[in-house]
Amino acid sequence: MTEQILLESPNTDKPVLMEELPGHCYTDPQFFIEEREKIWYKSWLFVGRQEDLVNPGDYLSCKVGDEPIIVTRTNSGKLQAMYNVCVHRGMRLLEGQGNCKHIICPYHHWSYNLEGKLEGVVYPQCFPNLDKTAIALPQVQVDTWGGFVFVNLDPEAPSLKDYLAGVPQHLERYSHSWQGLRIAHRATYEIAANWKILMENYIDAYHIPMVHGPTLAADFDLPGFIKGSMTGLHIIQEYEYKVPKEPTYIGYIFPSMPIITLERNIVVWQFNPINPGLTVIEKFLYQSPEQMEKFPLKTDGKKPLKFAEVFAEDIPINLMLQEQVKSRAYPVKQPLAQGPEDGIAYIRKAVKKLMQIS
């Protein structure tokens, strides 16, 4: 079920869309710590693709906030996710991606199987009462949708299917197979701005003609080209073009994963907040086999990819907004643009709900 956040305007028969967050929510270190606990460590977060974990022993390591995580493909063929922390002295076990038969700590060579169960220790006579069968790496939830691998650190969290609400049904209207997507390009950015400022900007279509006019606006009949709603904690949008072609379907899987379907590829963002004023963004371009053949990417550096041009145009705006939220005049008290700025209200509503802000 989708939900619209609407307030009645006293001056018009049209509803007014409003949702505010205090400025300290974008800058305060204590709020950031609580946000990680209440939002990031309790949400399903994208960490990789199933094609990275095809064979028994394949693994990938990642970080969810400050928490190091491993995802493995076990010998039985299932995915297993666990903390990348040796239970002996806390050493990190694996780095990057690869394949292994056993998980071996580089510090003291305690070894674990692919499910995280302790198999052996060096010099066992030093541990006369150690019951290896009772020791294992702490587990986290793992599941997949559309070839994407998600983890959730909260053992009491709802299933991924329930968490995603109506996002898969919206995105699966796209004409290419999600399971068949393969990575075509990847880029990493560190932006000196709060993750919510970045998310609000990238889900905001109102600024497109002003900031991205030559790059994007020619494709759209502004401002009525966008339709959107909220489903669960997430945002789903649809962009329609001037020249008829397949619409762009957007799903913002709260809090960390916008997905944008395009004719030539699919753009996926992965957000990882480092502190209140710093966010690392991984951007991925995925293509189906048909797209790879029809629209091969040219990444020779002679001309930037379109998404990189758009991203570069947004950066100075985001950096300025990070400074502006410190003003005593923030938050501003005016309505948001109906349609193009609906997503901002949805993001703020989700944050306020989970952070218990009235």
Side-chain angles (χ1 to χ4, degrees), residues 238-256:
E238 181 178 331
Y239 286 8
E240 295 180 348
Y241 296 90
K242 288 181 180 178
V243 178
K245 58 182 177 181
E246 182 175 18
T248 285
Y249 301 106
I250 298 176
Y252 167 38
I253 300 175
F254 185 86
S256 68

Side-chain angles (χ1 to χ4, degrees), residues 233-269:
L233 295 170
H234 320 294
I235 300 161
I236 54 176
Q237 293 179 327
E238 181 178 331
Y239 286 8
E240 295 180 348
Y241 296 90
K242 288 181 180 178
V243 178
K245 58 182 177 181
E246 182 175 18
T248 285
Y249 301 106
I250 298 176
Y252 167 38
I253 300 175
F254 185 86
S256 68
M257 188 187 184
I259 303 175
I260 303 174
T261 69
L262 300 168
E263 180 186 16
R264 295 170 176 264
N265 49 57
I266 290 174
V267 182
V268 175
W269 302 346

Side-chain angles (χ1 to χ4, degrees), residues 130-148:
L130 188 70
D131 180 6
K132 294 196 299 289
T133 64
I135 298 174
L137 302 176
Q139 309 290 298
V140 301
Q141 292 199 66
V142 61
D143 205 345
T144 64
W145 165 77
F148 297 104

Side-chain angles (χ1 to χ4, degrees), residues 279-310:
T279 305
V280 172
I281 302 177
E282 296 269 6
K283 286 202 171 185
F284 305 87
L285 291 185
Y286 293 102
Q287 291 183 308
S288 67
E290 296 80 9
Q291 288 171 322
M292 287 184 174
E293 182 176 353
K294 189 174 181 180
F295 306 111
L297 285 182
K298 297 179 181 180
T299 57
D300 55 10
K302 294 180 180 179
K303 183 180 179 181
L305 296 170
K306 193 169 187 177
F307 88 86
E309 290 185 74
V310 173

